[in-house]
Amino acid sequence: MTLTRTVTNPERERGYSPLENYAAIGEGRSVALVNMDGAIDWWCAPTMDRSPLFDRLLDAEHGGHFVLTPRGPYRAERRYRHNSNVLETTFITENGSARVTESINSNTAGRLPWCELARRVDGVEGEVEFDIQFVPGTQVQTVSPWLQTTTLGEVYNIGPLMVMVRHSDDVHVTEASDRALTACLTAREGVRSMVALLAAEGEPLAVPSIDKIDERIDVSDFAWRDWAEKLDYDGDYKQCVLRSALALKFLLYSPSGAIAAAATTSLPEGIGGEKNYDYRYAWVRDACLVIKAFVHAGALEECKAAFSWLTATIHRHGPNMRACYTLEGALVPAERYPELEGYMGSRPVRVGNNAKDQLQTSMYGDMLATASLFIEAGHVIDIATARLLGDLANQCADRWQQKDCGIWELPETHHYTHSKMACWLALDHAVRLADDGHIEPTWKARWQRERDRIAEWVEANCWSPARQAYVFYPGTEKLDAAMCLTHRFGTGVNPERMALTYRAIREELGSGALLHRYSGAEQEEGAFLACSFWMVEALGATGECEEAHKLMQGVTEVSNNNLGLMHEMIDPGSGRALGNFPQGLSHLALICAANVLSGGKSESTDQDPA
């Protein structure tokens, strides 16, 4: 079934549109967000971590944008083409209807050497008048766009970025200045028109014909469908899994194999709040979990590319892992705060991420568990990677006793229960990898002893008889939804305590089918979508299959209102989307939950940390 979204006369509040009104287009390098009203309000070109060419998403009054919208009242009906990331929106007015097909194009051989954002307009019935406006961003008044006349057409220079607006002959340009281009178009039944942007940074700009650009929309569509239809996932919730896999492909940065956490920065976790972060980087945690999701979906090439990038990047910056890296594998810059209004006044706007310097010991569990899964999927690790895994296991054995910032990257350091259990998982996988001959066994006995010490520590310090649950960290009665991931530690010794913990989490952190991240989070942010899918996965993995399916149905109904694309969070009261978008963690969690509900293997072990 093809998902659709319909909005009549999409409205903006203070110049901002609801986040759930945006869909994404991309090509494995950059991602643009297209509103239901025909405005592209976010696009970082040529790559998703560059300064934005269009940034009205974060500054309604001054931000750059690229508008193709009907005149007068209209209804917009939107869908993705089947098993594709090519977007189609039909605009219906009192005088007719027209279909707009949008794509950031690729070729049969893969990515183009330039960025090519194409917008095809097909008249379906009667006539529809469109207004067109191109306003380049100024990168917070640090560059001054200027128009250069060439023999091939006029080119906008925005700092090192060159952008050309290309269009069919029936597009009438009414103004072309340094600051904006305005035009109009009348779509007529049976007539096809085109508007496109070509962009390149610090290099010559190729100028293909408008017919070639139009043709590549369908070439790109074929490439998306060919990729999606070759995935070998055939379990439950197949269409949800395919759409989530396609969303994750937006975030896999094809030049390097890195996986961005999301394609945007500073979209708020709570409207008007300060929890607005830059997610256009590759987190070790998220990359490991995306690799797991790609394995379940049958995308082995992407799994290999991502794991190779991850191990090479950690090697490059050793000896200790960083929480996140740039998409090219460099160190993430410290945060700076450009003077933008922020979405709906939510400030600060951030570029960079200070989580880069945090200690997050749960990453050891992510890395070692991912290595095991990578091998089980049919890959062979090289000697350098084997040595890296041994080094990480030794680091884990040394560092598990330290306080850290936890999976949620909080400013307060504690002995977070989830972090300790993840360290247990790391050392357990290290022992098994050594047993199977994949890594050097010299330190195996040490890893076993430290693993057992962690188990004893967790049992002695992290269980609350009063709450009948494993708590957020010792000394508190707060709960943590990340404990839904603890099903990976097995249920052979004490499944009752895990089941009681899940029950307590649902009672305290739940809001319908949704879950908040931890106790008190509901006061400043929405419900975190990945947590709900983690709970589905945990219930399914521990034998509560009927309840898991029921919860899965509830979560997908709440989260599936925008063509299967998911943000980081949802406001349980209003249903509005919150946080950066498309959010990799939400999509990978759906895939992993669906895999478990389909009888797929989970990352459990035969032992329990307790």
Side-chain angles (χ1 to χ4, degrees), residues 82 252 602:
H82 181 65
L252 194 146
S602 181

Side-chain angles (χ1 to χ4, degrees), residues 327-342:
L327 301 183
E328 294 289 351
L331 297 178
V332 171
E335 289 180 3
R336 57 183 178 87
Y337 311 101
E339 289 295 321
L340 295 171
E341 181 185 34

Side-chain angles (χ1 to χ4, degrees), residues 451-479:
R451 178 194 63 189
D452 295 343
R453 289 188 182 103
I454 297 172
E456 293 169 1
W457 193 94
V458 168
E459 183 64 15
N461 294 279
C462 301
W463 174 258
S464 168
R467 295 304 307 268
Q468 287 292 287
Y470 288 108
V471 291
F472 204 175
Y473 50 84
T476 186
E477 296 297 299
K478 295 180 179 180
L479 301 179

Side-chain angles (χ1 to χ4, degrees), residues 436-455:
D436 293 339
H438 297 296
I439 65 175
E440 171 61 45
T442 302
W443 306 281
K444 173 187 165 183
R446 182 203 183 199
W447 299 335
Q448 288 173 318
R449 291 195 299 272
E450 292 298 331
R451 178 194 63 189
D452 295 343
R453 289 188 182 103
I454 297 172

